[in-house]
Amino acid sequence: MSSLYKKLLAVGLLLTLTTAQAFAQEAVEGRVVSQQDWIDRMPVIIAILIITVLIDVVFVMAFRKNDHGKDGGAQ
Amino acid sequence: MNALAKIFENFLSFKRIPLKIVLITALASYVLQLGMIIMGQPLYIIVFYTLLPWIPVLLFEGLWKVEHYQWIAVFAIITALQVGHLGEHFTQVAQLVFDGTLACPPPVDAGLNYDRAIEAGLRDPSSPPTNYATSLVVLPDAEGLPTYNDNGEYRRGPAACGVFGQLDIEIVHLVWELFGWFATLILLRQFPKNIWLWLAVVFLSIHAIEHLFISYAFFIDTNAVYAGTRQLWATVADGSIVTAIPIGIEPALVPFYDVAGKFGIVARNGLIGTFLPDLNPLLPTRPWLHFGYNTLITVPTVIGFVLEMRRIYDRYLAQALPSLSKEQLVSATPQLERMTFNKGEVIIKQGDIADRFYIISKGEVEVIGENKDGSSQQIATLGQGKFFGEIGLLSESKRIATVCALSNDVEVMALNREVFRNLMESSEMSKQDVNRVMRQRVAETSGEPAS
């Protein structure tokens, strides 16, 4: 067995072991969701809220500026 | 009310698609539907094949309506899509009422579901997987095992995921919601005085916040650290009707989405329910909440559309007779008759009795004068938005020139003599405009200067 082949085999073995370790799931014991989990995600909710309101405001301001007096007819 | 009914009748009638094609499409849809029912296909396949032949027909007709009625036609399309979407949510809550189970998207009769059924002895190992989505689900108990009725039979009901349950996935919910929200904002730009559209935008925005957060939990917040369970299904097939049978639950590490995120902010077990546990049982579950959101979005959208329909008119009529008031345009639009001609076809012939006024909505026509010696000469060519046929109607004379289509698929919108005369009598400015054009054309035809 050539030296290069041995090195490749060793690297392959290492990669396989580390990957297997990463995906190993020995016990299914997780946390229970709590109020704190929601509190941790409040910045995301607030950011979504602000972005949504901003998009609405940008649309409304844009057409109030450009199309003042438009009456909604077919044209 | 009659006027509105007439407007709707005109708007909903097929203009571009000939009646023959509509009838063939209806027949094809019916035959396909019947065929799928006879073959014992599940509901989603029956509905899909029933709708399939109508898709190209509605697409071509929709494009014509957008061309002629512009933003109101776009409004109509968005309203129709929202009504269809609400129909899916309505179907889901109806399925829940009739013993349905929230197993969405419905388990497919293949892979692990098929293997588990073989292992549990629920199906013949020689029967191949059908690959159909589940139509019926046996109600699971708290342990994820089947429940039975008094006769010892499975308690089963529909998979409560709407008609097209395979589309009951977060990305579809998100894309649809964002489409509806932005489309309605764009409509609002065209119809800023429509308060119903404003109301729809308010609920679309609230709904968008819900879906953006749920999608964040599903796509981004994926660290599986919570104690959860997975329902295991086994599928059995009777022809193409697949039933999912619960065969237990397995503990699993799941992400935030599975334990809380999928309920969003307002639904039971969501944000509000977590912080106000006494209120939690009173909150609607996710299917009912989102049915509610979509009702609050669709109802104002429909009302806003119906109100806007009172102002619909054909853009080419407005282009040809710009002095008509909006009320006159609206009342004349349902009277327009669509006619098409191929290259070289005669639309009006010199010497014939004048019976219609024509507006060109597509293509070009040539006006030809025929001399007494039998020779003929081209007087003018007219394109989109121009009109002809007014001389014979206003001067109560016969046609003084022949008009032929210059290309294939020339489309004109025609008004009959009575409607045209009423329009001219009710709009002095339009009459003057048309008279001016008429004098100019008579002069060109006779070779004399216009008076």
Side-chain angles (χ1 to χ4, degrees), chain A residues 25 27-39 41-42 44-45 48-49 51-53 55-56 59-60 62-64 66-67 69-75, chain B residues 69-70 181-182 185-186 188-193 198 201 205 209 212-213 216 221 225-227 251-253 256 259-260 264 270-271 274-275 308 311 313 315 326:
Chain A
Q25 196 174 294
V28 187
E29 288 177 13
R31 292 199 281 120
V32 174
V33 72
S34 65
Q35 288 186 354
Q36 186 57 45
D37 292 302
W38 281 102
I39 291 167
R41 288 162 178 85
M42 283 313 280
V44 176
I45 296 173
I48 288 171
L49 187 84
I51 291 168
T52 307
V53 172
I55 289 173
D56 280 342
F59 263 87
V60 172
F63 70 68
R64 281 181 74 88
N66 297 331
D67 301 318
K70 202 166 198 169
D71 68 352
Q75 297 301 298
Chain B
Y69 306 125
Q70 297 184 288
W181 180 32
F182 285 114
L185 278 170
I186 292 166
L188 199 56
R189 188 187 172 108
Q190 300 302 321
F191 306 100
K193 291 182 180 173
W198 284 92
V201 163
S205 303
I209 293 167
L212 284 167
F213 176 70
Y216 161 79
D221 193 355
V225 293
Y226 296 93
L253 280 177
F256 180 73
V259 289
L271 171 69
T274 306
F275 284 94
E308 235 31 87
R311 290 189 257 180
Y313 56 82
R315 69 181 282 207
K326 283 200 173 166

Side-chain angles (χ1 to χ4, degrees), chain B residues 69-112:
Chain B
Y69 306 125
Q70 297 184 288
W71 281 102
I72 294 188
V74 176
F75 200 162
I77 292 166
I78 290 166
T79 305
L81 290 172
Q82 291 287 29
V83 169
H85 181 222
L86 179 62
E88 273 290 270
H89 280 272
F90 175 78
T91 306
Q92 183 179 40
V93 293
Q95 287 165 332
L96 280 174
V97 168
F98 290 100
D99 272 349
T101 298
L102 269 180
C104 305
V108 175
D109 185 36
L112 284 174

Side-chain angles (χ1 to χ4, degrees), chain B residues 358-430:
Chain B
Y358 299 90
I359 298 162
I360 305 162
S361 52
K362 188 179 173 190
E364 277 191 330
V365 300
E366 63 175 340
V367 185
I368 302 163
E370 292 173 15
N371 301 320
K372 285 177 185 168
D373 61 5
S375 62
S376 61
Q377 65 184 53
Q378 189 190 65
I379 300 168
T381 59
L382 303 172
Q384 211 172 39
K386 300 291 181 193
F387 61 79
F388 59 91
E390 77 289 356
I391 299 173
L393 292 177
L394 286 177
S395 62
E396 297 194 12
S397 61
K398 290 185 174 176
R399 299 292 192 198
I400 65 162
T402 295
V403 178
C404 295
L406 258 183
S407 56
N408 280 329
D409 208 16
V410 166
E411 181 188 71
V412 294
M413 305 302 288
L415 284 175
N416 71 31
R417 184 207 309 255
E418 195 185 343
V419 176
F420 177 70
R421 280 187 179 162
N422 287 343
L423 267 183
M424 291 301 101
E425 279 167 23
S426 60
S427 171
E428 189 55 37
M429 278 184 71
S430 292

Side-chain angles (χ1 to χ4, degrees), chain B residues 200-314:
Chain B
V201 163
V202 169
F203 290 117
L204 277 159
S205 303
I206 297 169
H207 198 209
I209 293 167
E210 285 272 16
H211 275 295
L212 284 167
F213 176 70
I214 292 170
S215 296
Y216 161 79
F218 186 79
F219 293 108
I220 299 170
D221 193 355
T222 54
N223 199 11
V225 293
Y226 296 93
T229 56
R230 279 201 193 93
Q231 174 67 54
L232 303 177
W233 299 102
T235 50
V236 294
D238 178 9
S240 50
I241 303 302
V242 174
T243 301
I245 301 167
I247 56 162
I249 46 179
E250 65 174 8
L253 280 177
V254 295
F256 180 73
Y257 169 86
D258 286 88
V259 289
K262 65 183 173 187
F263 304 114
I265 296 164
V266 180
R268 191 179 300 168
N269 301 322
L271 171 69
I272 292 174
T274 306
F275 284 94
L276 300 168
D278 292 341
L279 187 65
N280 191 44
L282 303 174
L283 294 173
T285 57
R286 178 172 163 170
W288 283 97
L289 176 74
H290 286 255
F291 169 66
Y293 277 137
N294 282 294
T295 303
L296 291 170
I297 290 163
T298 307
V299 169
T301 305
V302 171
I303 296 173
F305 168 65
V306 171
L307 292 177
E308 235 31 87
M309 279 292 278
R310 295 184 307 179
R311 290 189 257 180
I312 191 170
Y313 56 82
D314 193 294

Side-chain angles (χ1 to χ4, degrees), chain B residues 37-71:
Chain B
I37 292 170
I38 291 168
M39 286 165 69
Q41 295 291 324
L43 181 65
Y44 69 94
I45 292 185
I46 296 170
V47 175
F48 175 75
Y49 279 101
T50 305
L51 295 177
L52 189 64
W54 288 106
I55 293 171
V57 170
L58 293 176
L59 183 70
F60 281 108
E61 185 63 27
L63 288 173
W64 188 90
K65 290 197 191 309
V66 170
E67 171 76 14
H68 282 254
Y69 306 125
Q70 297 184 288
W71 281 102

